[in-house]
Amino acid sequence: INTEAAPKADRFRLLTQMSNDLQMANYHGSGAIKGKEREVNGQWTRFQSMLADKKGHLDRLTNLTELFRDIDT
């Protein structure tokens, strides 16, 4: 999952850049667009946090599995 998520980070940076460009150009509805951009970026941040938590859990499980394997040998 991490391999698939990493390249998408650029898309979210571009989303923020487009939102900022629209606001600077006083585009009609730019406030709503900025709100949506914040919402999407918040979800992306939560996803990245959850992904990091899962990776930590998997790393600990790997360490535990290696410990059990060492005990058995």
Side-chain angles (χ1 to χ4, degrees):
I1 295 175
N2 195 25
T3 305
E4 293 176 17
K8 291 179 175 51
D10 287 336
R11 293 181 184 177
F12 290 94
R13 280 191 285 278
L14 289 173
L15 173 67
T16 300
Q17 181 181 352
M18 287 189 307
S19 175
N20 292 338
D21 290 346
L22 290 172
Q23 262 193 326
M24 287 179 16
N26 292 323
Y27 182 79
H28 175 72
S30 63
I33 292 169
K34 188 67 174 176
K36 191 64 166 179
E37 177 253 330
R38 286 184 183 139
E39 179 186 336
V40 168
N41 277 332
Q43 291 174 350
W44 173 247
T45 301
R46 283 190 297 278
F47 172 75
Q48 288 178 312
S49 176
M50 290 170 51
L51 195 58
D53 288 346
K54 280 290 184 194
K55 183 181 181 321
H57 291 298
L58 288 173
D59 288 343
R60 287 189 294 280
L61 183 60
T62 299
N63 291 338
L64 186 60
T65 303
E66 290 172 356
L67 178 66
F68 285 146
R69 185 177 39 213
D70 290 344
I71 291 172
D72 285 341
T73 57

